[in-house]
Amino acid sequence: MSYDRDAVPPLPGLRLLPWESEGGKPCFLSADGAGGALSRLADEIEAELLCDGAEVLKGAVAVLDDGKAGEHALRRALRATTQSFGDVLRVADSRGARLPVAADGGQEADERELRADRGAAGNVPWRDY
């Protein structure tokens, strides 16, 4: 499963679920916040994905710290990391879409997005390597 956040538009009133359909399309849940069975299942899977991401990160750091790690190990670590990063982005987007709108009408969020865009334009530390 891969996650393309540009291909998943935020849909008001719908929760992005942490899985895809058989055809690879995003799945959504219309929920009123009551915490039904499907919503609880999604919460559990999101928690597992975040825990898995933490483990993948530890493994990737170990591979990077190993000066003798070969190309195969590096590719495996990178593949696991990108998969996990996609899962974490999906969880973040799903949870972020469910946050209440700020009292300032979202102006503060717009300012954060502008700062993030400026960061993406060239202030990304790993691009220096």
Side-chain angles (χ1 to χ4, degrees):
M1 173 169 69
S2 65
Y3 178 62
D4 179 4
R5 61 190 329 200
D6 294 330
V8 182
L11 300 171
L14 296 180
R15 175 183 179 170
L16 175 64
L17 295 172
W19 57 79
E20 297 175 341
S21 70
E22 288 183 25
K25 299 203 182 270
C27 293
F28 295 92
L29 173 65
S30 177
D32 59 4
L38 194 55
S39 187
R40 286 191 305 274
L41 175 63
D43 290 342
E44 291 171 13
I45 291 173
E46 285 180 351
E48 289 175 16
L49 290 173
L50 294 176
C51 286
D52 290 347
E55 291 301 313
V56 167
L57 178 61
K58 287 178 191 174
V61 168
V63 170
L64 289 174
D65 288 345
D66 181 0
K68 296 179 183 178
E71 180 182 347
H72 180 70
L74 289 169
R75 286 184 177 278
R76 258 191 12 224
L78 181 59
R79 185 170 291 115
T81 303
T82 56
Q83 175 65 50
S84 189
F85 186 65
D87 292 341
V88 169
L89 276 177
R90 178 187 297 270
V91 171
D93 285 344
S94 176
R95 291 182 177 184
R98 290 179 276 142
L99 290 174
V101 177
D104 64 0
Q107 182 178 357
E108 183 178 325
D110 293 340
E111 290 170 3
R112 281 194 306 267
E113 286 180 22
L114 286 173
R115 285 193 300 272
D117 287 345
R118 283 193 296 267
N123 297 332
V124 180
W126 58 265
R127 287 191 180 167
D128 294 338
Y129 295 105

